């Protein structure tokens, strides 16, 4: 991967998945929105870059691709993460109960890591490479995962839930086949990332099942993928917009899609068995937030289902636990400040 990136001549940053364990809790809060006017420099920056490439090309005689002179990775970063970190990451993935939750966890860690890299390196936009085929698979997968309300932000062209960093999906108009043909004819070198391995005797994830189903259908009915894709185009991103922190899902940052009544209906499916709880309860001042059940009200319907299968709290990434603690505590202080004035009123009345 690194060799390919070096050959392109574009600046690049390497990040190991292990670094996701060191993310700050702020990654689960939207950044400050950008100022109203769009950056004036965008078109100029692109023009400038093309000009610069052309000049360098002229100097080299016009034939060689842009050299690796631009910037080569981050020289300060160590080559490989510490083995202890890798072990910790493996433990996190092994604790997850189902293949579906494991896929969701991987996607979440990747998104947060990319977001953090963009924030620290000062990028305001991130382009991801989902093809039309990927988008169609994700649409149906997320529908099956109970994320129907957020389909538009999860698969649309623009994803602005993080506030300061925009995620755009410019490749979503091209099918995987078109991209494969382009790469073949123009000799674009490619790397194929292996999918997550499924444990033996474990059912395949919903992600894999939907992929198999859609690609199988596409063979006999070539309009399948484009039909699913175009249906997704008609969805509105409005249901995912959250106005305040208490209405925002801890993990996916979308608006909580659960109203009081619905919650009652859902409750039976969301009860947790926590055998370790008895031991924890003996020392009362222990953080009350450190139980899986305390996380549930902070999550949207889809994330609740995934969270249930993520294994014990102890193996969760530290930044998720830190942010959850902070939000539970701030909700508590809000509750207390609401209660205090009522107590003050009483002596006045009497
Ligand atoms: Zn969520």
């Amino acid at each position: 991967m690194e060799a390919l990136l070096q050959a392109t001549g574009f600046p690049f940053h390497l990040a190991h998945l292990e670094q996701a364990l060191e993310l700050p809790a702020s990654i689960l809060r939207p950044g400050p929105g950008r100022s109203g006017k769009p950056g004036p420099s965008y078109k100029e920056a692109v023009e400038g870059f093309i000009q610069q490439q052309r000049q360098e090309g002229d100097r080299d005689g016009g034939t060689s691709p842009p050299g690796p002179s631009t910037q080569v990775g981050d020289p300060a970063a160590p080559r490989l993460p510490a083995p202890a970190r890798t072990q910790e990451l493996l433990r996190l993935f092994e604790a997850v109960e189902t293949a579906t939750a494991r896929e969701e966890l991987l996607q979440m860690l990747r998104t947060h890591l990319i977001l953090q890299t963009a924030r620290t390196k000062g990028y305001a936009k991130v382009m991801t490479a989902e093809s039309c085929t990927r988008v169609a698979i994700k649409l149906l997968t997320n529908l099956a995962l109970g994320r129907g309300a957020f389909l538009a932000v999860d698969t649309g062209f623009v994803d602005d839930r993080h506030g300061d960093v925009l995620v755009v999906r410019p490749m979503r108009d091209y099918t995987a086949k078109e991209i494969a043909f382009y790469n073949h004819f123009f000799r674009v070198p490619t790397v194929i990332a292996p999918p997550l391995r499924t444990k033996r005797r474990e059912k395949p994830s919903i992600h894999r099942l939907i992929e198999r189903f859609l690609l199988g259908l596409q063979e006999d009915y070539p309009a399948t993928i484009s039909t699913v894709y175009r249906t997704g185009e008609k969805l509105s991103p409005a249901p995912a917009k959250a106005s305040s922190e208490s209405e925002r899902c801890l993990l996916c940052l979308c608006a909580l899609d659960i109203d009081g009544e619905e919650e009652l209906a859902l409750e039976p499916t969301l009860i947790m068995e926590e055998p370790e709880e008895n031991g924890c309860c003996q020392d009362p001042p222990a953080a009350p937030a450190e139980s899986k059940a305390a996380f549930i009200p902070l999550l949207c319907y889809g994330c609740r289902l995934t969270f249930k299968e993520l294994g014990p709290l102890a193996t969760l990434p530290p930044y998720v636990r830190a942010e959850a603690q902070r939000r539970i505590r701030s909700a508590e202080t809000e509750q207390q400040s609401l209660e205090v004035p009522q107590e003050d009123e009483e002596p006045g009345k009497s």
Side-chain angles (χ1 to χ4, degrees):
M1 186 81 86
E2 199 177 353
L4 286 188
L5 290 170
Q6 261 166 16
T8 64
F10 289 113
F12 66 94
H13 308 281
L14 291 177
H16 299 283
L17 198 57
E18 282 86 346
Q19 283 167 254
L21 298 172
E22 293 153 24
L23 286 173
S26 63
I27 206 77
L28 295 169
R29 279 168 247 157
R34 285 146 305 116
S35 54
K37 56 176 183 183
S41 55
Y42 171 65
K43 273 196 163 172
E44 289 161 32
V46 174
E47 276 297 314
F49 185 79
I50 293 171
Q51 282 290 325
Q52 186 197 332
Q53 294 291 322
R54 232 176 250 150
Q55 278 164 11
E56 277 175 20
D58 288 343
R59 236 178 287 141
D60 298 343
T63 45
S64 64
S69 56
T70 355
Q71 184 184 334
V72 184
D74 198 344
R79 301 298 303 161
L80 281 174
R85 279 284 175 205
T86 311
Q87 286 304 318
E88 201 180 324
L89 190 69
L90 282 175
R91 268 200 302 277
L92 167 60
F93 274 91
E94 274 160 14
V96 180
E97 290 156 30
T98 59
T100 303
R102 216 169 295 134
E103 295 272 359
E104 286 293 296
L105 175 67
L106 178 64
Q107 275 177 27
M108 182 187 87
L109 293 181
R110 263 190 197 148
T111 311
H112 290 160
L113 196 53
I114 291 172
L115 183 64
Q116 177 64 10
T117 311
R119 277 187 183 160
T120 51
K121 309 285 178 189
Y123 294 101
K125 290 192 185 72
V126 171
M127 290 184 187
T128 57
E130 287 107 325
S131 61
C132 165
T133 314
R134 274 286 132 220
V135 167
I137 294 169
K138 201 167 180 189
L139 262 169
L140 284 196
T141 307
N142 284 8
L143 212 50
L145 291 175
R147 299 186 53 81
F150 316 136
L151 285 182
V153 277
D154 282 341
T155 61
F157 180 72
V158 185
D159 177 354
D160 59 354
R161 76 183 86 167
H162 303 295
D164 52 346
V165 178
L166 273 188
V167 178
V168 286
R169 305 185 175 93
M171 297 302 283
R172 66 196 288 287
D173 284 334
Y174 307 98
T175 64
K177 208 172 188 175
E178 282 175 296
I179 297 170
F181 274 124
Y182 182 94
N183 288 349
H184 176 74
F185 288 126
F186 291 90
R187 299 209 171 78
V188 180
T190 46
V191 173
I192 293 169
L196 276 181
R197 270 177 300 156
T198 310
K199 282 181 196 156
R200 236 199 300 168
R201 293 157 55 84
E202 192 180 45
K203 287 180 186 135
S205 63
I206 292 177
H207 305 73
R208 297 277 148 245
L209 286 175
I210 301 270
E211 180 178 356
R212 222 179 291 162
F213 168 70
L214 267 186
L215 295 182
L217 209 57
Q218 171 80 6
E219 277 184 19
D220 295 330
Y221 305 95
T224 305
I225 299 276
S226 61
T227 306
V228 175
Y229 165 81
R230 267 182 289 132
T231 311
E233 287 290 81
K234 294 169 190 146
L235 299 168
S236 155
K241 288 256 184 317
S243 49
S244 73
E245 182 177 80
S246 57
E247 291 170 17
R248 197 173 290 122
C249 172
L250 174 73
L251 294 182
C252 70
L253 277 76
C254 290
L256 293 184
D257 51 353
I258 292 172
D259 291 335
E261 277 174 60
E262 272 179 81
E263 201 163 4
L264 283 176
L266 286 169
E267 219 50 70
T269 65
L270 292 165
I271 292 170
M272 315 264 179
E273 321 93 72
E274 279 177 281
E276 318 102 306
E277 265 289 84
N278 296 334
C280 300
C281 289
Q282 277 159 6
D283 39 333
E290 277 289 273
S291 83
K292 269 188 103 169
F295 278 54
I296 290 297
L298 307 176
L299 302 170
C300 69
Y301 177 61
C303 290
R304 284 180 189 198
L305 298 183
T306 306
F307 183 78
K308 252 177 61 177
E309 300 171 352
L310 279 186
L313 270 187
T315 55
L316 282 187
Y319 71 95
V320 172
R321 282 159 62 194
E323 176 65 9
Q325 291 275 10
R326 195 191 65 84
R327 281 181 54 172
I328 291 168
R329 235 175 284 131
S330 78
E332 273 168 7
T333 39
E334 214 166 278
Q335 196 89 42
Q336 279 163 8
S337 63
L338 280 177
E339 281 163 10
V340 167
Q342 288 175 345
E343 283 168 16
D344 288 346
E345 265 174 38
E346 276 169 25
K349 273 180 193 167
S350 62

